[in-house]
Amino acid sequence: MTTPQTAHTATPAANPATERRFAVAEIAAPLLAAGVTPFLDAQAAGTLATFLAAPVLVAGANAAGMLSDRLLDDLPGGDVLRAHRRPFLMSTVATATAAATATLNGMPGIDALLAGWMTMPSLAGLVSTAWWGTTGLVAFSLRRVLSSAKPGTAAAPAAPAGPAPDSPVDKVLQLWDAHISGEYGACPGQNLILTGHSPVAWEGVIEAAPGRPVTVTAATVSGVYRVPAAWVDITDGPHDSSRRIHVRLTAPAEQDGPQYSALEALWLQRVARKGGCMPGTHLEGVTPDPATGGVAAWVMADEDTDALTVPDLYTIAGALRTTPLLVSVERTGNPRKAIFRMMDRSPLEEGRPLPGPETLLANKGGFVQLGTGLSGKPARVQLYDPEGGARHVLVAGVTGSGKGGVLQLLALSYHVNGVAIIYADPKGSSNPDVEDMAAYAGCGLDEAIGALRLAYSILRHRIEESRDLRAKNFVPTPERPYLVTIVDEMAQLLGDKSPHRAEAAFIVLALASLGRSMGMPVVLCGQIMNLDQMGSNTAIRDNVFYGGALILLRSDSAQADRVDLPRAFDGIDPSQIPAYWKGDEENLIYDPSVPEDDPRRTFGVGYVVGPDERAEMMRAWILESAAGHFDPAKVAVPGDFPGWGERDAIAVIPVGPAAEDADSAAAWTPASASPAPAKEPTAEEKILAVLDERRDPMGLEVGYLHLDQITDMTAVTRKTVENTCSRLVREGKAVRNPSTPGEYGLPLPDTAE
């Protein structure tokens, strides 16, 4: 439809005589500065050059559109400044250049500026040519002002004389100025702000004087631009003294034109109106969407709207008289731009079965496709980052939302990519296929906490081994694979009624904060995301929730204390996903003669959001059972863990807070490790530990980590990390990166002493 352009305003000067005098001054100023300044004494010339800096700044701000219309309206001659933005800027720059040249180099400098073009090619020649070119361009661009008739000599202005406009945009603005908003136009003072232009259409905002209505009609625009009145759409503007205008320059396709015009008008009338759910917005680029069978468009903020505010889909659907499953608004990286889709029928209604286990093979970035998005884009989740370590995953959804199927897809994804699985299912054998794919499964409340204890022991071993080997990054091998801990129904272990809550929270926090760099991600699965169902531990929430992927299916609308969703979820409420696909036609009176239309469930419908990705409605692959898709002979195990043969014994030994009442002699300890500390490591100990992991084993260079990485790896607050790192530098225990701010490392051995 249209493409965004810099806003152009057709605003004539109020007094033509004043405008001509100003134009003469613009043309003469550079020449006068070049002729007069060399004859001034040094102090006067310097004062003049300094004084000329102010007009340059004003002209630059005016040309960049930084001076508001209200300010220009209040300034004497502001209408002239608005109409002469580019000539005024070029004139002031040329004038200041001449004054500065004369001040610094005297008459020889002016001679070089005026006659240097004869010495081409040379630096002086280039400067002289550029100065003369700028001065001449000022005169050329103001030729129409100087040749225009004096006020009162004609009853009405003639059409713009002289050469054709420089561009189609200039032509639109000049025609509007001459025949609509000008002194002799059909609607004087009703100016056009052009917001978009393309070969097929242009659009903008008509602004009248404050407090006055816009009286421009489609018939007036039709006569000026020689297009049919049906091609001109004038709708409500951002305020009462404005109107939006859209003018087609070519005939719309017969099957497309009415649809597009109707949708744009519907948006302005019901969504973007004052008091609407997205005021100060409009649609651009409406186009058919093959993925949905409907249409897609850009939602754009108006000129006086700084950023889009996206309401929930339930509200937008109501405004457009449809259902939440048939509309979509997705944020983009531009705060003034979003993607809008409207469908007659959702492409997600027909669930697609998993094509095969090979579909779940990760790409080089560690991403796997779990389903398809509304736009047809793959719905992906990152299992691991080859450079940043393993990625945690949170799955949430009420019973019947497809949570078990998604967890099965995740487990199968880990399996086909050679990741070992420890499965904790406190409810029992609720997902036997995941149990069969796991290297170790704890089914039942006590068995599930045992699975977590085993995962914690492997984590401790890998941390100690990494320190002994002075390894920087985790590199998986068949004997030492990625190892994921899947916790199903997490509230049974982490909720406030769990008898194992303190121990489970201690272990999950250790996995969430330290497991990523050890190749040990954690997957938490539950019905709701309340903090009290996650051990009431903000560190667990922050490390899992914000440090990995979120898979949010239909949720409980009553969870008032749900943790804040990332900004990608603005306007999205998973609790509003209905349980069934059904239309909005409801019978007021039951008619037994009408057969019931059995609804189909929406299981697997939700949102997947990974790092730096936007939230889009998706549907996961349908997988009733993973049996037959995985190879029991290829179930990966952590062969690097020396206590794997004793795993059942390790699973019954309490750790963390639960170990206080246990026999300490019974606790399993890695062969190369010291007994676990009785208390949580301090912030300094955690920071030194992660910096030590980054240390160069050869001792040739300092391994630096940024404050953001340290914060993420230690689960310590950013402020504490900053203060502790600064103190460690003062004490000589750490060093700053002299070339990159915010990076710290351990000193080399020869400087540590």
Side-chain angles (χ1 to χ4, degrees):
M1 189 174 100
T2 61
T3 55
Q5 303 281 345
T6 303
H8 299 274
T9 309
T11 47
N15 190 325
T18 301
E19 185 179 16
R20 284 196 297 275
R21 287 193 290 270
F22 189 78
V24 171
E26 290 175 282
I27 297 170
L31 300 174
L32 288 175
V36 173
T37 309
F39 299 100
L40 300 177
D41 58 61
Q43 183 177 359
T47 302
L48 177 62
T50 304
F51 171 78
L52 288 174
V56 173
L57 293 176
V58 173
N62 184 42
M66 298 173 63
L67 302 183
S68 66
D69 288 338
R70 179 175 296 180
L71 176 61
L72 292 174
D73 291 339
D74 294 338
L75 284 175
D79 50 356
V80 178
L81 289 177
R82 182 187 290 113
H84 289 225
R85 284 177 171 169
R86 284 178 290 183
F88 184 42
L89 175 62
M90 291 187 292
S91 177
T92 55
V93 171
T95 303
T97 301
T101 301
T103 301
L104 297 175
N105 300 317
M107 185 59 73
I110 289 298
D111 290 341
L113 183 66
L114 297 178
W117 56 271
M118 292 187 294
T119 65
M120 287 289 287
S122 66
L123 178 60
L126 291 175
V127 174
S128 176
T129 302
W131 186 83
W132 277 111
T134 303
T135 304
L137 185 59
V138 172
F140 180 78
S141 63
L142 296 175
R143 66 194 185 283
R144 295 189 184 91
V145 176
L146 297 177
S147 63
S148 62
K150 294 183 179 180
T153 61
D166 297 335
S167 70
V169 171
D170 292 335
K171 183 176 180 179
V172 170
L173 296 175
Q174 290 178 13
L175 287 174
W176 188 279
D177 179 7
H179 301 291
I180 297 179
S181 67
E183 182 179 359
Y184 302 102
C187 304
Q190 299 189 17
N191 302 316
L192 171 67
I193 299 175
L194 194 61
T195 59
H197 190 284
S198 78
V200 297
W202 59 263
E203 63 185 8
V205 178
I206 307 171
E207 293 277 357
R212 295 182 178 273
V214 172
T215 58
V216 178
T217 65
T220 301
V221 177
S222 170
V224 171
Y225 293 96
R226 301 296 191 264
V227 297
W231 295 8
V232 181
D233 293 321
I234 299 178
T235 56
D236 291 340
H239 54 80
D240 290 342
S241 294
S242 68
R243 299 273 280 172
R244 299 189 188 284
I245 182 171
H246 179 276
V247 179
R248 289 187 176 274
L249 304 178
T250 60
E254 182 177 352
Q255 68 275 20
D256 293 341
Q259 178 190 35
Y260 293 173
S261 298
L263 179 58
E264 293 165 358
L266 185 67
W267 183 275
L268 294 173
Q269 178 184 1
R270 296 179 177 174
V271 180
R273 61 178 175 82
K274 284 187 176 180
C277 55
M278 291 188 72
T281 63
H282 62 280
L283 296 183
E284 290 185 5
V286 182
T287 184
D289 186 359
T292 67
V295 293
W298 296 108
V299 182
M300 302 296 298
D302 295 341
E303 288 300 318
D304 53 355
T305 302
D306 294 332
L308 297 176
T309 300
V310 181
D312 61 78
L313 295 181
Y314 197 80
T315 304
I316 296 178
L320 295 175
R321 309 304 192 260
T322 183
T323 66
L325 288 173
L326 298 180
V327 293
S328 169
V329 178
E330 306 161 23
R331 285 187 173 275
T332 66
N334 186 343
R336 295 174 48 80
K337 192 175 185 180
I339 298 174
F340 169 73
R341 290 187 175 86
M342 187 171 180
M343 302 153 278
D344 293 329
R345 186 173 184 272
S346 174
L348 304 180
E349 186 171 348
E350 296 295 338
R352 298 174 58 186
L354 175 69
E358 64 280 356
T359 305
L360 302 177
L361 288 172
N363 64 14
K364 62 181 181 180
F367 285 89
V368 299
Q369 181 181 356
L370 294 184
T372 55
L374 194 64
S375 65
K377 178 182 177 182
R380 306 187 310 167
V381 64
Q382 190 178 29
L383 303 184
Y384 52 82
D385 184 340
E387 296 183 1
R391 306 292 296 186
H392 305 308
V393 181
L394 173 64
V395 183
V398 297
T399 301
S401 63
K403 183 172 74 274
V406 169
L407 197 64
Q408 204 170 213
L409 278 172
L410 271 174
L412 184 58
S413 300
Y414 285 117
H415 171 78
V416 298
N417 287 285
V419 178
I421 300 172
I422 291 181
Y423 179 49
D425 181 7
K427 289 184 64 175
S429 187
S430 57
N431 208 324
D433 291 325
V434 178
E435 182 180 348
D436 292 341
M437 285 183 278
Y440 185 92
C443 299
L445 189 59
D446 293 335
E447 291 77 6
I449 191 64
L452 291 186
R453 291 166 181 163
L454 176 60
Y456 178 72
S457 297
I458 299 174
L459 174 67
R460 285 181 53 206
H461 165 71
R462 287 192 173 182
I463 291 174
E464 294 294 338
E465 183 182 52
S466 179
R467 290 176 179 173
D468 291 343
L469 298 175
R470 304 175 69 84
K472 286 185 179 181
N473 301 309
F474 178 81
V475 179
T477 65
E479 294 76 23
R480 191 173 183 253
Y482 282 108
L483 173 63
V484 61
T485 302
I486 299 177
V487 183
D488 202 351
E489 297 296 342
M490 61 182 178
Q492 299 291 324
L493 286 173
L494 297 170
D496 53 3
K497 296 181 180 180
S498 170
H500 300 294
R501 188 187 200 196
E503 184 180 11
F506 172 82
I507 296 173
V508 172
L509 175 59
L511 292 170
S513 58
L514 302 174
R516 285 182 55 185
S517 59
M518 296 295 109
M520 295 184 62
V522 61
V523 175
L524 298 182
C525 182
Q527 294 194 14
I528 56 177
M529 298 174 291
N530 291 9
L531 191 60
D532 61 358
Q533 302 300 305
M534 302 175 73
S536 293
N537 194 312
T538 56
I540 293 177
R541 177 198 65 189
D542 294 344
N543 280 279
V544 177
F545 196 75
Y546 297 106
L550 311 178
I551 303 177
L552 303 184
L553 308 174
R554 182 167 55 88
S555 61
D556 184 0
S557 60
Q559 50 180 345
D561 299 325
R562 184 181 63 205
V563 295
D564 294 334
L565 294 174
R567 186 167 179 77
F569 279 88
D570 285 357
I572 293 175
D573 186 354
S575 68
Q576 293 180 355
I577 299 175
Y580 299 94
W581 296 102
K582 57 182 179 181
D584 57 355
E585 298 297 329
E586 300 286 349
N587 294 325
L588 180 62
I589 306 298
Y590 173 68
D591 185 353
S593 64
V594 177
E596 289 289 338
D597 182 15
D598 294 334
R600 289 173 293 173
R601 299 193 66 87
T602 59
F603 60 86
V605 175
Y607 301 87
V608 174
V609 177
D612 301 325
E613 294 189 357
R614 64 174 184 257
E616 177 186 359
M617 183 177 286
M618 67 91 196
R619 188 165 193 177
W621 304 120
I622 297 177
L623 181 63
E624 294 294 338
S625 173
H629 291 286
F630 68 92
D631 186 352
K634 293 184 179 180
V635 172
V637 298
D640 60 307
F641 180 52
W644 185 250
E646 308 169 44
R647 55 189 177 276
D648 291 330
I650 295 172
V652 299
I653 302 175
V655 300
E660 296 178 359
D661 299 329
D663 183 3
S664 60
W668 184 90
T669 303
S672 61
S674 302
K679 62 179 181 179
E680 179 76 7
T682 64
E684 177 180 335
E685 291 171 341
K686 291 180 179 180
I687 292 172
L688 289 175
V690 297
L691 292 180
D692 186 64
E693 295 177 21
R694 189 70 173 181
R695 186 199 296 268
D696 181 9
M698 302 296 295
L700 299 178
E701 59 181 15
V702 177
Y704 292 105
L705 283 175
H706 192 271
L707 287 171
D708 293 337
Q709 295 173 293
I710 298 174
T711 301
D712 184 51
M713 296 171 67
T714 60
V716 177
T717 63
R718 173 61 180 258
K719 190 65 176 177
T720 302
V721 170
E722 292 177 353
N723 294 337
T724 304
C725 287
S726 298
R727 178 172 54 80
L728 290 174
V729 170
R730 291 194 301 270
E731 296 175 355
K733 298 179 180 179
V735 293
R736 289 189 179 93
N737 189 340
S739 59
T740 305
E743 289 191 350
Y744 294 83
L746 295 182
L748 296 176
D750 58 339
T751 61
E753 300 175 358

